[in-house]
Amino acid sequence: MSSRTTVVLERPLSVDGDLRNRLHGTDWPPPPHDPRERDLALVLEDWEVRLFGGRKFQYFVTRGFWHLQLWHPKARISVLTPSRLTSGFYETFPVANWKAQAPDYKSLVQLVSGMHEIRLPNYGEVARLEKALVDDVVRAKSALLS
């Protein structure tokens, strides 16, 4: 069981950027939400779609940790798509100055919009990217290893 809890908010909370910076000593999110760990693959609306490259690609794909990161550079919000890394949940940072998980995209949209004044990309586009860049990649990699 994950030590991270799923958070459902009834009212928006403010995120204190100064507090977040003091907690982490920087204004970059902590791993695994730091976008500098991944390569920019494409831009979807105002969100960057980021993926691991090189050795991390091999490591993450073969162990069930492969996922996409959505990074909003202006709002400095990170979303990880479901994988073993996030116990099968969507995970976002920051929410109440830390990470929070959502069981599905609809819940993720509610969580993020309850905390921030930005919109997540359209679910259809995200689902298409998850299929092409996560599911199909994992399936192809598994076929090569069999």
Side-chain angles (χ1 to χ4, degrees):
M1 179 178 225
S2 174
S3 63
R4 298 179 192 125
T5 44
T6 301
V7 176
V8 178
L9 298 174
E10 307 232 348
R11 62 182 174 77
L13 299 174
S14 64
V15 176
D16 180 347
D18 291 334
L19 175 60
R20 185 179 70 231
N21 294 344
R22 287 192 309 271
L23 288 173
H24 303 293
T26 178
D27 68 348
W28 291 104
H33 288 273
D34 189 337
R36 298 172 299 174
E37 295 179 340
R38 295 171 185 82
D39 298 323
L40 176 62
L42 57 103
V43 176
L44 178 63
E45 298 170 22
D46 293 331
W47 293 82
E48 296 178 355
V49 177
R50 296 184 154 271
L51 297 164
F52 286 117
R55 291 183 183 188
K56 286 186 176 182
F57 169 81
Q58 174 83 15
Y59 179 87
F60 278 76
V61 168
T62 58
R63 289 165 177 80
F65 297 131
W66 191 241
H67 62 278
L68 298 176
Q69 179 188 37
L70 300 174
W71 170 249
H72 196 289
K74 290 181 183 170
R76 306 192 65 75
I77 297 167
S78 169
V79 171
L80 305 181
T81 60
S83 72
R84 278 186 55 209
L85 182 69
T86 61
S87 301
F89 291 95
Y90 285 94
E91 184 174 282
T92 187
F93 177 91
V95 171
N97 295 314
W98 197 236
K99 305 170 191 177
Q101 295 180 328
D104 54 50
Y105 200 78
K106 182 179 177 182
S107 300
L108 176 70
V109 168
Q110 291 174 331
L111 178 63
V112 171
S113 65
M115 295 295 299
H116 306 284
E117 294 180 13
I118 60 160
R119 294 182 63 156
L120 282 163
N122 173 282
Y123 174 68
E125 291 296 314
V126 173
R128 185 178 60 81
L129 290 173
E130 283 185 78
K131 182 185 179 322
L133 300 175
V134 178
D135 301 341
D136 291 351
V137 169
V138 170
R139 199 171 5 268
K141 188 68 173 172
S142 297
L144 289 174
L145 294 175
S146 315

